[in-house]
Amino acid sequence: MKERNIMNRFYGKTMKTPTFAVAALLVLLSCNLSVSAGEFSSRGVKLGYNSSRFTGADIPGKGVSYQPGLILGGFVSYKFNDMFSVQQEVLFTTKGSKINTIEDIYLSNTFVYLELPFLAKATFLTEYWLKPNIYVGPAVAVLITAFNDRYFLDGIRSFDLGGVIGASFEVWKVSLDLRLTKGLLNFDESADNIDLKNQTISIMAGYAF
């Protein structure tokens, strides 16, 4: 029964109006604006490429594969000293997965989120022109919409919580990031005890103002 519910979630014809997501989006943006009014060391924009897939014990169909996507947004960095800082980001990001269905046809499922990572960052070789960084932290995401090649999807959790780990290089005002965002919550609410989560690898270029 649980397997059938999962399959219906991705193949069934449903549609969702994300009223909760819109309200949460406005609240989170307001919170970000108030935080950003504080003292910061840098701010800028990011743009990049996502490769995402579903993970968990209840993978639907005959399996899943990675799906390409986009990620873009901005960041504000708060510096404690030359080595340690925190970085708040506001990102629009796509996640999802390709599902191998009947006759080996792949169905693309796309989730669009507003994601807010809050990262603790360590910077090394601060006296050189090329500065490597490592960072880790949580990320809260609010679902904006979810759809596949055929339909809009219903029953997808309205928010997600993930863990972020990554590394970057900074040269002057330009940065290059590679990160893994691992979902910690089951996103499918079609039935109880379903184990399906998001996992995303992102490559981003950034520019600080």
Side-chain angles (χ1 to χ4, degrees), residues 72-135:
L72 73 158
F75 66 91
V76 177
S77 294
Y78 303 83
K79 188 176 180 181
F80 296 108
N81 53 50
D82 287 343
M83 187 173 181
F84 295 106
S85 60
V86 295
Q87 183 165 292
Q88 181 189 9
E89 300 176 348
V90 179
L91 304 171
F92 287 94
T93 179
T94 62
K95 302 184 181 184
S97 190
K98 292 182 179 180
I99 299 176
N100 191 349
T101 63
I102 301 171
E103 298 180 355
D104 289 331
I105 297 174
Y106 279 86
L107 185 67
S108 295
N109 296 269
T110 302
F111 304 159
V112 181
Y113 289 99
L114 173 73
E115 187 168 74
L116 284 87
F118 189 78
L119 307 174
K121 184 168 68 171
T123 302
F124 304 96
L125 305 177
T126 56
E127 67 274 19
Y128 293 96
W129 62 272
L130 179 63
K131 298 179 178 64
N133 307 278
I134 58 173
Y135 51 84

Side-chain angles (χ1 to χ4, degrees), residues 29-83:
L29 284 175
S30 298
C31 292
N32 179 70
L33 291 174
S34 63
V35 171
S36 299
E39 184 179 356
F40 55 85
S41 60
S42 65
R43 59 184 176 183
V45 294
K46 289 180 178 288
L47 174 66
Y49 167 84
N50 278 345
S51 182
S52 57
R53 59 164 290 185
F54 300 152
T55 63
D58 298 312
I59 297 297
K62 298 160 62 177
V64 298
S65 64
Y66 283 93
Q67 174 170 290
L70 294 174
I71 182 169
L72 73 158
F75 66 91
V76 177
S77 294
Y78 303 83
K79 188 176 180 181
F80 296 108
N81 53 50
D82 287 343
M83 187 173 181

